[in-house]
Amino acid sequence: MKYRDHSASPLLLSDDAPDLDDVRDALAGMDAVDVPGRDIAATLAWATTVTPPRSLGATWELLASVSARDVAAARVLEPHLDALAILDEAAREGIDVDLEPGGSWGVFAAEGPGTRLEARRSAGTWTLHGTKPWCSLAAHLDRALVTAWVDDERRQLFALDLRAPGVTARTGPWHARGLDRVVSAPIDLDETVAVPVGEPGWYLRRPGFAHGGVGVAACWWGGALPLRDALRAAAAVDRADQLSRLHLGRADTALWAARTVLRETAAVFEAGGAASAGLRAARARTVVADAVETTLVQAAHALGPLPLVADEAHARRVADLQVYLRQHHGERDVARIGAEVTTGAVAW
């Protein structure tokens, strides 16, 4: 099922905002895919044709608009665009990455208990050894940017050909009901040649790290908009009562506030030189995550079980959002914000 109600962009930006032509072209291409987010090969083929928008606001506009159509499609597109942005950022800083940039890309930077990916250098060549968890779509992608430990305390970013010898992409475990086609399983690497991207620690220090984190939040936000529409439709019927309007009002207010935060964050980041970019990004992600959580709850309370069992698109959207939103670590992420503020990072 294609979601058409949000086919008109923009959702975040104003109609006269610059750089929207690329967004509209990308959305038109997505609308030509029969089942975006379900047919992974077709979705990736579309994603590789997308021209990355020139501004951060337009990039988040694109991600939100794609997610409004299909959450899983946004989950496919977001890391591909993030990888291209990282490579572009490296090039602007004079970092030479000796690897063809074409094809589909992922970003694998998560860590997990009991797994460790190590990078070793011999005779000028870097190789990767071990296991990397949470590698979304590794069996389908062409390449990825992956972090690996170069010693006991430091990690470095590497570009990896996922079709190279020594790469094994596992098929699971992946028993997810949401994002069921976007398999995020470990990969095993055995003396796999990789290309360094920046020095140890560059991946986390660069300004774009904060930008990418909020890009994920833009996907969460866009994915929740059709739930607000469902609440609005329920509140508009003749038999609707005040509770229907209350549920809509809570969701609408939360999503409006999150939209305001996303717009301001994009403007500040695009202006450059923002202090505490990481803290600002964490605050924005938390506001958006809370808004989407609120919308999920209000939709559940207002609409009841019927759309969860009788409306395939609604049920899939709810399940996809619930899995995707867990990239926000809830109270742990909020506690990190408190820790930064406690130590003096109090600027708004």
Coordinates of all heavy atoms in Angstrom, one line a residue, residues 200-240:
P200 N 41.8 7.9 14.1 CA 41.0 7.4 15.3 C 40.3 8.5 16.0 O 40.8 9.5 16.3 CB 42.1 6.7 16.2 CG 43.2 6.3 15.3 CD 43.2 7.4 14.2
G201 N 39.0 8.3 16.2 CA 38.2 9.3 16.9 C 37.5 10.3 15.9 O 36.6 11.0 16.4
W202 N 38.0 10.4 14.7 CA 37.4 11.4 13.8 C 35.9 11.2 13.6 O 35.2 12.2 13.6 CB 38.1 11.3 12.4 CG 37.6 12.3 11.4 CD1 37.8 13.6 11.3 CD2 36.6 12.0 10.4 NE1 37.1 14.2 10.3 CE2 36.3 13.2 9.7 CE3 35.9 10.8 10.0 CZ2 35.4 13.3 8.6 CZ3 35.0 10.9 8.9 CH2 34.8 12.1 8.3
Y203 N 35.4 10.0 13.5 CA 34.0 9.7 13.2 C 33.1 10.4 14.3 O 32.1 11.0 13.9 CB 33.8 8.2 13.2 CG 32.3 7.8 13.1 CD1 31.6 8.0 12.0 CD2 31.7 7.3 14.3 CE1 30.2 7.7 12.0 CE2 30.4 7.0 14.2 CZ 29.6 7.2 13.1 OH 28.3 6.8 13.1
L204 N 33.5 10.3 15.5 CA 32.7 10.9 16.6 C 33.0 12.4 16.8 O 32.1 13.1 17.2 CB 33.0 10.2 17.9 CG 32.7 8.7 18.0 CD1 33.1 8.1 19.3 CD2 31.2 8.5 17.8
R205 N 34.1 12.9 16.5 CA 34.5 14.3 16.7 C 33.9 15.2 15.6 O 33.6 16.4 15.9 CB 36.0 14.5 16.7 CG 36.7 13.9 17.9 CD 38.1 14.5 18.0 NE 38.9 14.3 16.7 CZ 39.7 13.2 16.5 NH1 39.8 12.3 17.5 NH2 40.4 13.1 15.4
R206 N 33.7 14.7 14.4 CA 33.2 15.6 13.3 C 31.9 16.2 13.6 O 31.0 15.6 14.2 CB 33.2 14.7 12.0 CG 32.2 13.6 12.1 CD 32.3 12.6 11.0 NE 31.3 11.6 11.2 CZ 30.0 11.7 10.9 NH1 29.6 12.7 10.2 NH2 29.2 10.7 11.2
P207 N 31.6 17.4 13.0 CA 30.3 18.0 13.2 C 29.1 17.2 12.7 O 28.0 17.2 13.3 CB 30.5 19.4 12.5 CG 31.9 19.6 12.5 CD 32.6 18.3 12.4
G208 N 29.4 16.5 11.6 CA 28.3 15.7 11.0 C 27.8 14.6 11.8 O 26.7 14.1 11.6
F209 N 28.5 14.2 12.9 CA 28.0 13.1 13.8 C 26.7 13.6 14.4 O 25.7 12.8 14.5 CB 29.0 12.8 14.8 CG 28.6 11.6 15.7 CD1 28.6 10.3 15.3 CD2 28.1 11.9 17.0 CE1 28.2 9.3 16.1 CE2 27.7 10.9 17.8 CZ 27.7 9.6 17.4
A210 N 26.7 14.8 14.9 CA 25.4 15.3 15.5 C 24.3 15.5 14.5 O 23.2 15.2 14.7 CB 25.7 16.7 16.2
H211 N 24.7 15.9 13.3 CA 23.7 16.1 12.2 C 23.0 14.8 11.9 O 21.8 14.7 11.7 CB 24.4 16.7 11.0 CG 25.1 18.0 11.2 ND1 25.9 18.5 10.2 CD2 25.1 18.8 12.3 CE1 26.4 19.7 10.7 NE2 25.9 19.8 11.9
G212 N 23.8 13.7 11.8 CA 23.3 12.4 11.4 C 22.3 11.9 12.5 O 21.3 11.3 12.1
G213 N 22.6 12.1 13.7 CA 21.7 11.7 14.8 C 20.4 12.3 14.7 O 19.4 11.6 15.0
V214 N 20.3 13.6 14.4 CA 19.0 14.2 14.3 C 18.3 13.8 13.0 O 17.0 13.8 12.9 CB 19.2 15.8 14.4 CG1 17.8 16.4 14.4 CG2 20.0 16.1 15.6
G215 N 19.0 13.4 12.0 CA 18.4 12.9 10.8 C 17.5 11.7 11.0 O 16.5 11.5 10.5
V216 N 18.0 10.8 11.9 CA 17.2 9.7 12.3 C 15.9 10.1 13.0 O 14.8 9.6 12.8 CB 18.0 8.8 13.3 CG1 17.2 7.6 13.8 CG2 19.2 8.2 12.6
A217 N 16.0 11.2 13.9 CA 14.9 11.7 14.5 C 13.8 12.2 13.5 O 12.6 12.2 13.7 CB 15.3 12.8 15.5
A218 N 14.3 12.8 12.4 CA 13.4 13.3 11.4 C 12.6 12.2 10.8 O 11.4 12.3 10.5 CB 14.2 14.1 10.3
C219 N 13.2 11.0 10.7 CA 12.5 9.8 10.2 C 11.4 9.4 11.2 O 10.3 9.1 10.8 CB 13.5 8.7 10.0 SG 14.7 8.9 8.7
W220 N 11.8 9.4 12.5 CA 10.7 9.1 13.5 C 9.6 10.1 13.4 O 8.4 9.6 13.4 CB 11.3 9.2 14.9 CG 12.5 8.4 15.2 CD1 12.9 7.2 14.6 CD2 13.5 8.6 16.3 NE1 14.0 6.7 15.2 CE2 14.4 7.5 16.2 CE3 13.7 9.6 17.2 CZ2 15.5 7.4 17.0 CZ3 14.7 9.5 18.1 CH2 15.6 8.4 18.0
W221 N 9.9 11.3 13.3 CA 8.8 12.4 13.3 C 7.9 12.2 12.1 O 6.7 12.1 12.2 CB 9.5 13.7 13.3 CG 8.5 14.9 13.2 CD1 7.8 15.4 14.3 CD2 8.1 15.6 12.1 NE1 7.0 16.4 13.9 CE2 7.1 16.6 12.5 CE3 8.4 15.5 10.7 CZ2 6.5 17.5 11.6 CZ3 7.8 16.4 9.8 CH2 6.9 17.4 10.3
G222 N 8.5 12.0 10.9 CA 7.7 11.9 9.7 C 6.9 10.6 9.7 O 5.7 10.6 9.3
G223 N 7.4 9.6 10.3 CA 6.7 8.3 10.4 C 5.4 8.4 11.3 O 4.5 7.6 11.1
A224 N 5.4 9.3 12.2 CA 4.3 9.5 13.1 C 3.2 10.3 12.5 O 2.0 10.3 13.1 CB 4.7 10.1 14.5
L225 N 3.4 11.1 11.5 CA 2.4 12.0 11.0 C 1.1 11.3 10.5 O 0.0 11.8 10.7 CB 3.0 12.8 9.8 CG 4.1 13.8 10.2 CD1 4.6 14.6 9.0 CD2 3.7 14.7 11.4
P226 N 1.2 10.2 9.8 CA 0.0 9.5 9.5 C -0.9 9.0 10.7 O -2.1 8.9 10.5 CB 0.4 8.3 8.6 CG 1.7 8.8 8.0 CD 2.4 9.5 9.1
L227 N -0.2 8.8 11.8 CA -1.0 8.5 13.0 C -1.8 9.7 13.5 O -2.9 9.6 13.9 CB -0.1 8.0 14.1 CG 0.8 6.7 13.8 CD1 1.6 6.3 15.0 CD2 -0.1 5.6 13.3
R228 N -1.2 10.9 13.4 CA -1.9 12.1 13.6 C -3.1 12.3 12.7 O -4.2 12.7 13.1 CB -1.0 13.3 13.5 CG -1.6 14.7 13.6 CD -0.6 15.7 13.4 NE -1.1 17.1 13.3 CZ -1.6 17.6 12.2 NH1 -1.5 16.9 11.0 NH2 -2.0 18.9 12.2
D229 N -2.9 11.9 11.4 CA -4.0 12.0 10.5 C -5.1 11.0 10.8 O -6.3 11.4 10.7 CB -3.5 11.7 9.1 CG -2.6 12.8 8.5 OD1 -2.6 13.9 9.1 OD2 -1.8 12.5 7.6
A230 N -4.8 9.9 11.3 CA -5.8 8.9 11.7 C -6.6 9.4 12.9 O -7.8 9.3 13.0 CB -5.2 7.6 12.0
L231 N -5.9 10.1 13.8 CA -6.5 10.7 15.0 C -7.5 11.8 14.5 O -8.6 12.0 15.1 CB -5.5 11.2 16.0 CG -4.8 10.1 16.8 CD1 -3.6 10.7 17.5 CD2 -5.7 9.5 17.8
R232 N -7.0 12.6 13.6 CA -7.8 13.7 13.1 C -9.1 13.2 12.4 O -10.2 13.7 12.6 CB -7.0 14.5 12.1 CG -7.8 15.7 11.6 CD -6.9 16.6 10.8 NE -6.3 15.9 9.7 CZ -5.3 16.4 8.9 NH1 -4.8 17.6 9.1 NH2 -4.8 15.7 7.9
A233 N -9.0 12.1 11.6 CA -10.1 11.5 11.0 C -11.1 11.0 12.0 O -12.4 11.1 11.9 CB -9.7 10.4 10.0
A234 N -10.6 10.3 13.1 CA -11.5 9.8 14.1 C -12.2 10.9 14.9 O -13.4 10.8 15.2 CB -10.7 8.9 15.1
A235 N -11.5 12.0 15.1 CA -12.1 13.1 15.8 C -13.1 13.9 15.0 O -13.9 14.7 15.5 CB -11.0 14.1 16.3
A236 N -13.1 13.7 13.7 CA -14.0 14.5 12.8 C -15.3 13.8 12.5 O -16.2 14.4 11.9 CB -13.3 14.7 11.5
V237 N -15.5 12.5 12.9 CA -16.8 11.8 12.6 C -17.9 12.4 13.5 O -17.6 12.9 14.6 CB -16.6 10.3 12.8 CG1 -15.6 9.8 11.9 CG2 -16.3 10.0 14.2
D238 N -19.1 12.2 13.1 CA -20.2 12.8 13.8 C -20.3 12.3 15.3 O -20.7 13.0 16.2 CB -21.6 12.5 13.1 CG -21.7 13.2 11.8 OD1 -21.0 14.2 11.6 OD2 -22.4 12.8 10.9
R239 N -20.0 11.0 15.5 CA -20.1 10.5 16.8 C -18.9 10.7 17.7 O -18.9 10.2 18.9 CB -20.4 9.0 16.7 CG -19.2 8.2 16.2 CD -19.5 6.7 16.1 NE -18.4 5.9 15.6 CZ -18.0 5.8 14.3 NH1 -18.8 6.3 13.4 NH2 -17.0 5.0 14.0
A240 N -17.9 11.4 17.2 CA -16.7 11.7 18.0 C -17.1 12.5 19.3 O -17.9 13.4 19.2 CB -15.7 12.4 17.2

